[in-house]
């Protein structure tokens, strides 16, 4: 077996006079330089206005290089003073005003809101009156993002009442209905009422004069957590939408605000104009036309259809109460079979 001699690492010169070690050093230099060619990860922002044009430069006179719309994601290339240089998915590059976008943290807030409430029951549906933005939390000055078009239908999930504040002022307080105080004990035989919403900004010392107390009380606003047809979620001012109620029963509101109308059952009337002559009968909830109430409704009415007179009639009325959403429609056992019924939490109105 031949003997293996030791390996000599002395430089070996080539014909060109360049040592092998030099070639190795050169190769290592090239490999270390490759680390500089890394993929850069730019931050992402999202368009928070209806639409906006991108411009080729920040100047009084500039050219439009692209158009972006609400909800669109943009890649940030450069930060300027009150402007951002961004790139669209179509590789359009231009400058946009910073106030027209939200960052990833704000966007993730809307995403988390949708995840947290994706299993919440729908208490009613409504129609948006005009184009309106969804907010991350109740309040006119809170972060807004998604734009809903006029006549868009939304699902109502939860209500909050807050004190209306002047522009630029901080809200006094806000709370989701039924989230803070403990539920009160209900009378025997009645379901326990869920906790009522926190009363907002009560004065420390209540004036003895009723007129002074009314003057010092803050103006309240009701907000609803809503979900649109694209499963986008956010808070919407109650006055910017109307509860979706058929006109056939909506006309019996008698000056009260309709909270919701739920189909209890249907009845056959061959002389009616209803589809397939099946007329729905409703359970309707109402409340006074006032914001900031510590309950969701104070009146329940059941409308049945008179086959003889071909019109709706009030079969049942419960008033005054302090009722809380949601309302569940189902079937209950009765003598000789079953019957449709509604269930909700309520307590008698305090005097």
């Amino acid at each position: 077996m031949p003997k293996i001699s030791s390996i000599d690492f002395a430089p070996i010169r080539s014909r060109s006079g360049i040592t092998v070690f030099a070639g190795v050093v050169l190769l290592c230099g090239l490999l270390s330089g490759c680390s500089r060619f890394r993929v850069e990860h730019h931050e992402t922002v999202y368009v928070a206005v209806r639409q906006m044009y991108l411009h080729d430069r920040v100047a009084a006179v500039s050219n439009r290089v692209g158009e972006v719309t609400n909800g669109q994601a943009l890649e940030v290339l450069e930060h300027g003073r009150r402007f951002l240089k961004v790139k669209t998915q179509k590789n359009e590059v231009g400058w946009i005003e910073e106030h027209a976008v939200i960052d990833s943290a704000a966007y993730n807030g809307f995403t988390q809101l949708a995840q947290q409430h994706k299993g919440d029951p729908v208490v009613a549906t409504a129609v948006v009156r005009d184009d309106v933005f969804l907010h991350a939390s109740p309040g006119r000055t809170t972060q807004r993002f998604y734009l809903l078009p006029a006549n868009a239908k939304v699902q109502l999930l939860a209500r909050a009442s807050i004190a209306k504040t002047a522009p630029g002022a901080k809200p006094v307080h806000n709370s989701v209905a039924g989230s803070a105080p403990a539920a009160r004990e209900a009378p025997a035989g009645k379901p326990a009422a869920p906790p009522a919403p926190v009363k907002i900004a009560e004065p420390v010392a209540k004036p003895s004069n009723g007129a002074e107390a009314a003057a010092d009380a803050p103006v309240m606003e009701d907000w609803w957590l809503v979900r649109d047809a694209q499963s986008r979620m956010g808070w919407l001012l109650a006055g910017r939408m109307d509860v979706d109620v058929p006109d056939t029963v909506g006309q019996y509101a008698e000056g009260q605000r309709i909270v919701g109308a739920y189909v209890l059952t249907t009845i056959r009337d061959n002389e009616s104009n209803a589809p397939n002559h099946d007329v729905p009968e409703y359970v309707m909830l109402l409340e006074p036309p006032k914001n900031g109430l510590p309950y969701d409704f104070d009146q329940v009415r059941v409308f049945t259809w008179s086959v003889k007179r071909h019109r709706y009639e009030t079969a049942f009325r419960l008033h005054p109460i302090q009722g809380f959403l949601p309302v569940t429609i189902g079937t209950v056992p009765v003598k000789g079979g079953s019957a449709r019924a509604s269930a909700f939490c309520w307590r008698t109105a305090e005097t």
Side-chain angles (χ1 to χ4, degrees):
M1 182 174 183
K3 181 179 180 182
I4 301 177
S5 60
S6 61
I7 301 176
D8 188 1
F9 288 95
I12 302 175
R13 291 187 173 275
S14 62
R15 294 180 181 179
S16 59
I18 303 176
T19 64
V20 174
F21 279 169
V24 173
V25 171
L26 178 60
L27 178 61
C28 293
L30 290 175
L31 292 175
S32 62
C34 293
S35 61
R36 299 181 182 178
F37 298 97
R38 296 175 180 174
V39 178
E40 296 184 9
H41 297 281
H42 296 286
E43 64 176 301
T44 302
V45 295
Y46 303 84
V47 181
V49 295
R50 183 191 306 274
Q51 63 180 29
M52 181 72 70
Y53 288 105
L54 302 181
H55 293 260
D56 59 350
R57 58 184 178 274
V58 180
V61 179
S62 59
N63 299 314
R64 296 175 179 177
V65 295
E67 181 181 6
V68 293
T69 57
N70 181 255
Q72 186 174 341
L74 305 173
E75 181 183 359
V76 179
L77 302 180
E78 183 179 343
H79 284 265
R81 184 178 180 183
R82 298 184 295 107
F83 287 85
L84 299 174
K85 188 176 184 180
V86 297
K87 182 172 68 172
T88 69
Q89 294 88 341
K90 298 179 181 179
N91 291 324
E92 299 167 327
V93 177
W95 291 88
I96 189 173
E97 295 181 62
E98 193 171 19
H99 72 80
V101 299
I102 62 172
D103 58 17
S104 295
Y107 177 81
N108 291 336
F110 281 89
T111 302
Q112 293 173 5
L113 184 67
Q115 289 294 326
Q116 293 170 359
H117 296 275
K118 65 180 181 180
D120 289 7
V122 178
V123 300
T125 58
V127 180
V128 177
R129 295 177 183 175
D130 305 299
D131 294 357
V132 63
F133 286 94
L134 295 183
H135 290 246
S137 59
R140 294 173 181 259
T141 59
T142 58
Q143 179 67 65
R144 66 181 196 177
F145 179 36
Y146 296 119
L147 177 65
L148 302 184
N151 300 319
K153 287 193 174 184
V154 294
Q155 298 174 332
L156 308 185
L157 305 178
R159 181 178 66 91
S161 296
I162 69 167
K164 181 180 179 181
T165 56
K170 294 183 179 180
V172 178
H173 188 73
N174 61 5
S175 62
V176 178
S179 62
R184 299 186 180 182
E185 186 175 354
K190 294 182 180 179
V198 177
K199 292 184 178 180
I200 311 301
E202 286 191 2
V204 177
K206 296 183 179 180
S208 58
N209 186 294
E212 293 179 3
D216 293 341
V219 178
M220 307 300 294
E221 288 185 333
D222 286 345
W223 290 72
W224 278 96
L225 178 63
V226 304
R227 180 195 296 122
D228 72 351
Q230 303 178 42
S231 297
R232 300 180 303 182
M233 213 174 282
W235 289 90
L236 183 60
L237 187 63
R240 303 298 299 273
M241 57 186 173
D242 298 303
V243 175
D244 192 12
V245 177
D247 294 336
T248 52
V249 292
Q251 59 182 324
Y252 300 113
E254 299 177 350
Q256 301 298 294
R257 180 187 296 165
I258 299 176
V259 177
Y262 308 89
V263 176
L264 185 62
T265 186
T266 58
I267 187 170
R268 185 78 175 183
D269 185 355
N270 293 326
E271 297 184 21
S272 72
N273 296 324
N276 299 323
H277 304 293
D278 291 328
V279 184
E281 296 183 329
Y282 293 94
V283 176
M284 190 162 72
L285 312 179
L286 302 104
E287 66 174 352
K290 181 181 178 181
N291 293 329
L293 296 173
Y295 48 83
D296 295 321
F297 55 92
D298 73 339
Q299 182 177 168
V300 179
R301 295 181 68 180
V302 176
F303 292 99
T304 56
W305 182 259
S306 173
V307 179
K308 182 178 180 180
R309 297 181 177 87
H310 311 294
R311 69 183 186 188
Y312 281 105
E313 296 179 349
T314 301
F316 174 80
R317 184 192 294 245
L318 183 61
H319 176 74
I321 61 171
Q322 293 183 356
F324 302 90
L325 296 167
V327 171
T328 302
I329 305 296
T331 303
V332 294
V334 296
K335 186 177 181 180
S338 61
R340 298 283 289 173
S342 61
F344 51 86
C345 293
W346 64 281
R347 59 172 175 246
T348 56
E350 298 178 354
T351 57

